[in-house]
Amino acid sequence: MLQPSTTPRFLSRELLDVLIRAGLIAVLAAFCFRIFAPFLNLMVWALILAITLYPLQAWLRGPLGDRDGLIATLIILVAFAVILVPTYLLGVAVSASVERGIDVVKNGSFHIPPPAESVAAWPLVGQRVYGFWAQASTDLTGLAQKFAPQLKDVGRALFDAITGVSAGMLVFFLALIVAGILMAHGEKGHRSTVQIASRISGPENGRQIADLCTATIRAVAQGVVGIAFIQMLLIGVAFVLMGIPGAGLLALAVLLIGIMQLPATLITVPVIVFVIVTQGVSTATVIFSVYVFVAGLADNVLKPLLLGRGVAVPMPVVLIGALGGMVTGGVIGLFIGPVMLAVGYQLFWRWVKDQPQAERVQERTPL
């Protein structure tokens, strides 16, 4: 008699073992992610900062030797000083300005000068601006009461923005400390990254993907800081020449909000309004207003020129990744977006070009 085959039972047992192992691995991964999730933003920022600052550490090995821990500590201390000093000065200046504003309002000495007659002749909005400005110069209290709900909403939004920026700065400083620890072990970290990438995408792609991610992060970081610095110079020079109070601090504020990927118009538009209100409409104020407003929008032109330089993928891929990542993931998405899109672009074209059979057929096909 024929013995019943044990192959289906053996296959079902093997399949059951595989499913159980996969389920246990999925449960373990889910628990690990839940535990690590509160520190995800911090670690991503630390990794970005470590990759960006590591070339400086490699350069300092010449004069200071192979003391990676000491070099990383010095870099982080200098970075703290560079960031904290302008931030402190900016906070003190803002606090002093708010206190002076409150004192002026309490004393009743704040007065808006009446608009010039030429304001009414402005096209489209001249009459409305003239009426609003005239009411503000004669009855500012009544105007404030009229727009009290809107002012309350604006104040709440401003408070939420300040709170968010404060929390973001705290995370940034903690990430800077963690980045110093990562830089102290940079060589081991690079080897581990190559091993992980090789395990995921194969030995032939591992080092290339690791180098691509590193170059993309550095290109985006340098592009962001470089664009913010250029905007600070363009706007700061105009503030100084126009004699704006606190021009240096305002320029530092432009640099900080540029690094945080906020529009520079948050600084330039209030300054333009201040200049027009205090100095009136003239050729100098119009030229200043147009120049500063255009300089505040210069990042829209500089990003396509600076982002993605030195990366082995087309610039539009990096630019689209940076803009899309910023929309979907905020400031961190500005770095993660181009990295993911660049890696996907490289893997896609490697897969497209890896067609040995098609190439043989094409070579054998007679013309």
Side-chain angles (χ1 to χ4, degrees), residues 106 136 183 194 287 295 328:
K106 287 183 177 179
M183 286 192 299
V194 173
I287 294 175
T328 57

Side-chain angles (χ1 to χ4, degrees), residues 3-299:
Q3 297 293 330
S5 177
T6 59
T7 302
R9 182 180 300 176
F10 176 76
L11 290 177
S12 63
R13 185 179 300 171
E14 288 255 336
L15 180 60
L16 182 61
D17 290 342
V18 171
L19 292 177
I20 291 175
R21 292 173 185 172
L24 292 176
I25 292 174
V27 171
L28 178 62
F31 271 106
C32 291
F33 179 78
R34 288 186 61 184
I35 294 171
F36 186 72
F39 306 97
L40 184 60
N41 287 346
L42 175 66
M43 294 306 299
V44 170
W45 265 122
L47 186 62
I48 291 171
L49 291 172
I51 292 174
T52 304
L53 296 175
Y54 190 75
L56 179 60
Q57 173 157 340
W59 180 74
L60 289 175
R61 282 178 182 167
L64 298 179
D66 293 333
R67 293 176 290 183
D68 288 335
L70 176 61
I71 296 173
T73 303
L74 292 176
I75 293 174
I76 298 306
L77 290 177
V78 172
F80 266 107
V82 170
I83 296 173
L84 281 176
V85 171
T87 304
Y88 173 76
L89 294 176
L90 181 62
V92 170
V94 171
S95 300
S97 299
V98 171
E99 291 180 358
R100 286 197 300 269
I102 293 174
D103 292 337
V104 168
V105 173
K106 287 183 177 179
N107 297 332
S109 57
F110 181 73
H111 179 68
I112 297 177
E117 295 295 334
S118 59
V119 175
W122 290 359
L124 300 179
V125 296
Q127 293 295 333
R128 294 183 179 181
V129 172
Y130 182 85
F132 183 84
W133 193 341
Q135 184 179 0
S137 63
T138 56
D139 187 16
L140 183 60
T141 304
L143 187 64
Q145 292 177 354
K146 180 180 178 181
F147 292 96
Q150 290 81 355
L151 293 175
K152 184 178 180 180
D153 294 338
V154 171
R156 186 182 296 109
L158 183 61
F159 177 78
D160 293 340
I162 294 174
T163 304
V165 170
S166 301
M169 292 296 292
L170 178 60
V171 172
F172 183 82
F173 288 137
L174 293 176
L176 200 57
I177 297 174
V178 179
I181 300 174
L182 295 177
M183 286 192 299
H185 304 278
E187 296 294 336
K188 295 180 181 178
H190 179 70
R191 289 196 296 268
S192 300
T193 303
V194 173
Q195 290 175 353
I196 294 172
S198 300
R199 180 62 176 169
I200 294 174
S201 60
E204 68 279 3
N205 296 327
R207 181 171 294 276
Q208 181 182 2
I209 290 178
D211 294 341
L212 176 64
C213 294
T214 302
T216 305
I217 290 175
R218 287 175 182 165
V220 174
Q222 293 169 3
V224 169
V225 176
I227 292 170
F229 186 76
I230 292 173
Q231 275 195 303
M232 181 194 71
L233 291 179
L234 293 175
I235 297 173
V237 170
F239 285 176
V240 172
L241 294 178
M242 200 64 183
I244 304 298
L249 294 177
L250 290 174
L252 289 176
V254 171
L255 176 64
L256 293 177
I257 67 174
I259 294 175
M260 292 185 291
Q261 291 302 290
L262 296 174
T265 50
L266 294 176
I267 302 295
T268 58
V269 170
V271 172
I272 291 172
V273 173
F274 171 79
V275 169
I276 293 177
V277 170
T278 56
Q279 301 185 20
V281 179
S282 63
T283 304
T285 56
V286 170
I287 294 175
F288 169 82
S289 302
V290 173
Y291 171 79
V292 170
F293 185 76
V294 173
L297 301 176
D299 57 330

